[in-house]
Amino acid sequence: MTENGKRDYFCGMNPSSDTLGTDLDKAVAILRAGGLVAIPTETVYGLAANALDEDAVLSIFQVKNRPTFDPLIVHLAQSTQLDLYAEVPSETAFRLAEHFWPGPLTLVLKRKSMIPDVVSAGLDTVAVRVPNHPRTLDLLSRIDFPLAAPSANPFGYVSPTCSSHVQRQLGEKIDYILEGGESIIGLESTVLDLSGQSPVILRRGGIPEEELEEFLGKHIQKTLSSSRPGAPGMLHSHYAPRCSLHTYTGDAWRNLVLGLTPSQFSEAYWIRFSHELADVEKDRQLVLSRTADLSEAARNLFSAIRTLDDKGAVAIYAEKVPDTGLGRAINDRLTRATSKK
Ligand code: TXA
Ligand code: MG
C-alpha cells in the first residue's frame, strides 16, 4: 500500500539519519557491544538487546520505563534454536514452531539457565519467537546470541508499527533504529503458554486462536485477565494513548453522542471500522479498512490511535470490530486502551 501513497494516511516515512537506517553491520556492532537497537518485525517494532547480556537487557527496562517484573520475549533466528534456550520443549512446541515460525506466535516454555533471570523476570519460563521480517531475520543470522525485545514504546503506551513512531518517542535514548517499513500485521504476537499441562493463550495477537485450535485439534484455554502475575501485557491499562479512548459497538455511538456537550462533540475524534458516520465531520474520523478487512484494520489500528493522540485529541471514540479471528485481538487492544493511566 506504500505504492499508492495511502499509507501516509496513517504512517509517514522517516528520513534517514545517523541513528536510523538499514545498516546491518552497524546494528550488529551495537548489539555486540551491549547497546540497544530498535528492530522491525511483522507485528510491531521491538527494542532489542543481546538476551544473554544482563546489563544490556536491564537497559531495555530503563529506556522503556518498564517494571522489571514484566518478562521479555526472546527472538531467535530459526525454529531449530528452540531447544538452545528452552528446556526439553514438547513435541507440540516443535510442531507449532515449525508451522507458525517465522511468524506472530510466541511460545512460553521452561527456561534454560543460560537465559538470565532478568529476561524472564525471575520466572522459570522463557517466551520465544522467530519474527517474520527479512531484515531482522538477516540481523539475527549474523549474531550468535538471541535478542530480547519488548515492543519499542514507553511502558503502557501504544506499540509502534513504523520507525517514525519509535524515533519520536525513544529516538534520543537508543543507539540505532533499523528501518524496516511498516509492520505488516500491526498487532503483537499471540502468546501461548506451553509450560503447563495444557496450552493456554496469555495474550491474543497476530495468530487468531481459531487457527491455533484448528492446528492442535482442540479447544485452547485463555487466561487473559489482568490479575495474572508476571504478565502485565495483560494489564487492563495497556496500549493506551494519552487522551481518553472510549469504545462502542454498532449503533451505540448514538448514545455516546447524547452524553456529550456540543463542544465535546465538536472536538471528538472517531475511529471507524469500515466507513464514516454520516453525522460527524469527515476529517474527525479515521477508517481502518474500507473493505471491512480485519487484517487491514489490525495493520492500521495503532497508527490511527497515535495519529489522533499526536493531533492533541482529547477523546477518541473507537468502534469495535467483528469479534472473530484477528478481530478479537483488535477488540482486546481497544478495550485495554480505554483505561486511563
Ligand atoms: O509481537 C510481539 O510480541 C512484539 C515483537 C517485538 O516481538 N513484542 C512484544 O513484547 O509485544 P512485549 O514485551 O511488549 O510483550 C510481551 C508479552 C508481555 O505481555 C509479557 O508479560 C509476556 O509477553 N511474557 C514474556 N515472557 C513471558 C513469560 N515467561 N511468561 C508469561 N508471559 C510472558
Ligand atoms: Mg508491549
Side-chain angles (χ1 to χ4, degrees):
M1 293 233 302
T2 319
E3 312 84 64
N4 59 16
K6 195 174 164 223
R7 301 295 338 141
D8 283 347
Y9 181 50
F10 288 113
C11 211
M13 278 313 253
N14 221 356
S16 269
S17 70
D18 276 359
T19 52
L20 172 117
T22 56
D23 189 342
L24 285 174
D25 290 337
K26 184 168 179 169
V28 167
I30 292 168
L31 291 166
R32 281 207 182 115
L36 298 184
V37 175
I39 53 167
T41 86
E42 81 283 27
T43 58
V44 299
Y45 274 67
L47 181 57
N50 177 351
L52 309 182
D53 177 340
E54 202 173 323
D55 290 337
V57 173
L58 269 172
S59 63
I60 295 179
F61 287 93
Q62 280 155 9
V63 162
K64 272 188 63 109
N65 205 10
R66 176 177 174 123
T68 47
F69 60 76
D70 190 4
L72 306 180
I73 295 173
V74 173
H75 296 71
L76 312 176
Q78 45 195 5
S79 54
T80 50
Q81 296 179 329
L82 189 59
D83 52 1
L84 281 182
Y85 307 106
E87 204 68 73
V88 234
S90 61
E91 199 213 318
T92 305
F94 279 113
R95 279 179 54 222
L96 285 162
E98 200 175 311
H99 185 81
F100 289 100
W101 289 353
L105 177 66
T106 292
L107 301 178
V108 174
L109 300 161
K110 289 282 177 223
R111 170 168 68 111
K112 273 199 174 157
S113 58
M114 68 188 300
I115 297 288
D117 278 1
V118 60
V119 170
S120 288
L123 299 171
D124 63 353
T125 54
V126 60
V128 283
R129 85 175 187 103
V130 178
N132 191 13
H133 189 290
R135 190 157 295 142
T136 291
L137 285 172
D138 201 350
L139 174 68
L140 283 161
S141 74
R142 291 170 189 227
I143 50 182
D144 55 4
F145 48 85
L147 293 176
S151 51
N153 51 278
F155 182 68
Y157 195 71
V158 185
S159 297
T161 52
C162 45
S163 59
S164 59
H165 295 165
V166 183
Q167 196 171 42
R168 257 178 272 154
Q169 288 190 305
L170 301 179
E172 307 274 283
K173 299 180 175 170
I174 62 184
D175 301 299
Y176 195 58
I177 301 171
L178 193 59
E179 175 62 70
E182 190 200 16
S183 297
I184 55 167
I185 292 191
L187 289 180
E188 301 82 355
S189 59
T190 301
V191 179
L192 183 68
D193 188 349
L194 294 178
S195 67
Q197 286 292 316
S198 44
V200 180
I201 291 178
L202 300 181
R203 177 178 72 181
R204 292 192 162 115
I207 302 281
E209 60 208 63
E210 291 92 328
E211 229 178 284
L212 290 175
E213 289 182 338
E214 194 181 298
F215 182 79
L216 293 179
K218 62 175 177 188
H219 173 77
I220 306 177
Q221 240 181 292
K222 278 133 230 129
T223 305
L224 306 165
S225 88
S226 60
S227 56
R228 191 177 183 281
M234 277 63 70
L235 283 175
H236 271 309
S237 176
H238 219 78
Y239 315 106
R242 290 175 292 268
C243 64
S244 69
L245 190 143
H246 312 265
T247 58
Y248 63 92
T249 308
D251 274 349
W253 67 272
R254 293 180 190 281
N255 300 335
L256 283 175
V257 168
L258 288 177
L260 300 180
T261 65
S263 86
Q264 282 172 330
F265 177 66
S266 68
E267 282 185 355
Y269 283 94
W270 300 80
I271 291 178
R272 300 280 303 159
F273 175 38
S274 62
H275 60 277
E276 280 105 354
L277 291 167
D279 303 4
V280 176
E281 285 170 59
K282 267 199 161 175
D283 62 2
R284 306 197 76 80
Q285 306 186 59
L286 284 181
V287 174
L288 296 179
S289 170
R290 299 220 170 258
T291 55
D293 174 50
L294 288 171
S295 302
E296 187 183 19
R299 193 153 63 234
N300 289 332
L301 176 70
F302 287 157
S303 280
I305 296 175
R306 274 179 189 261
T307 300
L308 299 182
D309 207 23
D310 290 348
K311 266 189 185 185
V314 176
I316 301 174
Y317 296 87
E319 182 185 16
K320 289 216 176 169
V321 303
D323 208 33
T324 170
L326 268 186
R328 293 180 206 260
I330 295 175
N331 290 335
D332 169 89
R333 301 304 187 270
L334 282 174
T335 304
R336 290 174 207 282
T338 58
S339 312
K340 279 291 265 183
K341 280 165 282 180

